[in-house]
């Protein structure tokens, strides 16, 4: 198992205090990401799988956004920024790991930031493509019957428009409607459920020997599919030397084997065991309350 990014340091409390001490203009109502952590973050020591856990507004996504910007890791979905984002990133420090020969790793070129918006955009892109194919198929269906009934006499083959109509008419007369449409339009892309599309997206996008930042990848995934993702990520770490930094509050993803978990709800932020965190405990207490139902006692709830 490889680690490419060994550790990362966010601005200390002193650096943040110095920043605010320099601000004399009053036209800004946000200094993001200054003030999100206020020096609460320790130097982050990163593992093959590192998870950032916390409630809404805890800064999970901010951590990934800043690391991606510092390392120049590409992303498609836009992230929260402000006039001070670049200055904040400059105040951060990243340390890459070294290989067996003591040479420091570069950021792998295939590294990616993958947000839940990327998955949704892929799903919408398939739907838009299929809508366009359906529109073209309807048009070409009319072209097929028009071509079968129209004679090729009287056309001038030197004129591009006439030549195309001759080709269409000839194709329509010599082919079935299915073959005509297949040649001119093709097939719709396979549409899956949002969860199936998300899993397929991760499998197609995540390659080998790279650093991936995943922002709440559990979005749109059922529990069963979250477990598929857990298995895929574990295999990617152990089989093809990927490193993952993940922002999540999913108890299932928190259970990734060997993951280092930073609890952003703690002050100061500190590593934690997944089964000690609030979200898994809430699920545990809920299902323990109704354990008898799952064990076959239908009278338990009443």
């Amino acid at each position: 198992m490889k680690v490419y990014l060994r550790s990362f340091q966010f601005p200390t409390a002193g650096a943040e205090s110095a920043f605010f001490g320099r601000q004399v203009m009053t036209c800004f109502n946000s200094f993001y990401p200054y003030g999100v952590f206020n020096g609460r973050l320790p130097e982050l020591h990163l593992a093959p799988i590192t998870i950032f856990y916390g409630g809404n507004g805890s800064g999970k996504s901010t951590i990934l956004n800043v690391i991606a910007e510092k390392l120049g890791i590409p992303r498609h979905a836009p992230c929260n920024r402000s006039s001070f984002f670049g200055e904040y990133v400059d105040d951060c420090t990243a340390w890459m790991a070294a290989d067996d020969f003591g040479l420091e790793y570069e950021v792998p070129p295939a590294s990616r930031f993958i947000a839940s918006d990327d998955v949704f955009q892929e799903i919408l892109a398939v739907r838009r493509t299929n809508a366009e194919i359906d529109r073209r198929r309807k048009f070409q269906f009319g072209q097929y019957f028009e071509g079968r009934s129209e004679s090729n006499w009287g056309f001038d083959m030197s004129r591009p428009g006439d030549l195309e109509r001759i080709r269409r008419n000839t194709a329509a007369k010599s082919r079935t409607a299915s073959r005509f449409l297949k040649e001119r339009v093709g097939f719709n892309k396979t549409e899956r459920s949002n969860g199936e599309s998300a899993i397929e997206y991760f499998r197609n996008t995540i390659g080998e020997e790279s650093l991936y930042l995943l922002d709440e990848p559990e979005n749109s995934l059922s529990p069963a599919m979250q477990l598929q993702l857990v298995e895929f990520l574990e295999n990617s770490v152990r089989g093809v030397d990927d490193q993952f930094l993940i922002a999540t509050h999913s108890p299932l993803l928190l259970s990734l084997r060997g993951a280092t978990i930073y609890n952003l709800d703690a002050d100061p932020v500190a590593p934690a065991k997944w089964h000690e965190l609030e979200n898994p405990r809430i699920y545990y207490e809920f299902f323990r309350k109704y354990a008898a139902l799952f064990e076959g006692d239908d009278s338990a709830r009443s």
Side-chain angles (χ1 to χ4, degrees), residues 199 202 217 221 225-233 253:
I199 286 291
F202 287 121
L221 293 179
M225 288 187 175
Q226 288 186 46
L227 290 176
Q228 288 185 37
L229 180 60
V230 165
E231 181 180 13
F232 173 70
L233 296 179
L253 267 72

Side-chain angles (χ1 to χ4, degrees), residues 71-298:
L71 300 185
I73 293 176
R75 60 178 296 151
H76 294 304
C79 70
N80 290 334
R81 299 183 69 93
S82 74
S83 300
F84 306 97
F85 191 84
E87 184 175 350
Y88 186 88
V89 170
D90 289 341
D91 277 346
C92 298
T93 305
W95 293 274
M96 303 302 291
D99 62 18
D100 294 337
F101 300 99
L103 299 175
E104 192 174 88
Y105 284 117
E106 299 286 340
V107 177
S111 299
R112 278 278 306 275
F113 185 116
I114 302 176
S116 56
D117 285 350
D118 295 321
V119 180
F120 294 139
Q121 288 300 318
E122 179 68 15
I123 294 170
L124 292 175
V126 171
R127 291 175 182 170
R128 286 194 294 268
T129 297
N130 284 340
E132 175 60 17
I133 289 174
D134 289 341
R135 185 194 66 77
R136 289 168 50 202
R137 183 180 292 112
K138 182 177 181 180
F139 173 77
Q140 290 296 336
F141 199 62
Q143 291 285 291
Y144 174 76
F145 287 105
E146 185 176 321
R148 287 185 68 86
S149 62
E150 187 173 65
S151 171
N152 284 340
W153 292 104
F155 289 115
D156 184 349
M157 294 187 65
S158 66
R159 292 199 297 265
D162 283 6
L163 180 59
E164 174 56 32
R165 290 182 69 177
I166 291 171
R167 288 173 176 165
R168 179 206 65 180
N169 296 348
T170 302
K173 289 178 171 63
S174 61
R175 291 162 172 77
T176 63
S178 295
R179 184 179 173 188
F180 182 87
L181 294 173
K182 178 181 176 181
E183 291 175 350
R184 292 186 163 233
V185 180
F187 295 105
N188 291 75
K189 289 189 175 183
T190 301
E191 288 199 48
R192 304 174 176 86
S193 70
N194 286 1
E196 291 170 330
S197 297
I199 286 291
E200 191 70 14
Y201 181 85
F202 287 121
R203 287 173 176 161
N204 290 337
T205 304
I206 292 174
E208 301 179 2
E209 298 184 339
S210 294
L211 171 61
Y212 292 98
L213 283 59
L214 310 182
D215 191 7
E216 298 191 1
E218 70 272 16
N219 286 350
S220 79
L221 293 179
S222 68
M225 288 187 175
Q226 288 186 46
L227 290 176
Q228 288 185 37
L229 180 60
V230 165
E231 181 180 13
F232 173 70
L233 296 179
E234 290 177 345
N235 290 340
S236 296
V237 167
R238 289 166 174 78
V240 296
D241 289 330
D242 284 331
Q243 181 183 8
F244 294 100
L245 309 183
I246 305 171
T248 186
H249 41 65
S250 162
L252 299 179
L253 267 72
L254 287 166
S255 72
L256 278 157
R257 287 180 293 173
T260 293
I261 302 172
Y262 284 96
N263 180 11
L264 302 185
D265 290 338
D267 190 5
V269 172
K273 297 179 180 179
W274 75 275
H275 58 273
E276 298 173 342
L277 298 170
E278 182 182 28
N279 277 18
R281 298 295 301 182
I282 289 173
Y283 279 93
Y284 171 72
E285 295 296 341
F286 176 83
F287 287 112
R288 187 172 70 165
K289 180 178 179 181
Y290 298 109
L293 287 174
F294 291 92
E295 295 164 2
D297 185 357
D298 292 336

Side-chain angles (χ1 to χ4, degrees), residues 11-87:
T12 63
E16 293 226 7
S17 178
F19 165 81
F20 284 110
R22 296 192 300 268
Q23 306 310 310
V24 295
M25 298 181 66
T26 60
C27 59
F28 297 101
N29 60 6
S30 172
F31 296 95
Y32 175 88
Y34 286 100
V36 173
F37 302 112
N38 292 316
R40 293 190 307 114
L41 284 178
E43 180 181 328
L44 301 175
H45 298 283
L46 306 171
I49 300 176
T50 304
I51 298 176
F52 303 106
Y53 162 88
N56 294 333
S58 62
K60 301 187 300 297
S61 298
T62 297
I63 289 177
L64 298 188
N65 292 335
V66 170
I67 292 176
E69 185 77 11
K70 187 71 176 181
L71 300 185
I73 293 176
R75 60 178 296 151
H76 294 304
C79 70
N80 290 334
R81 299 183 69 93
S82 74
S83 300
F84 306 97
F85 191 84
E87 184 175 350

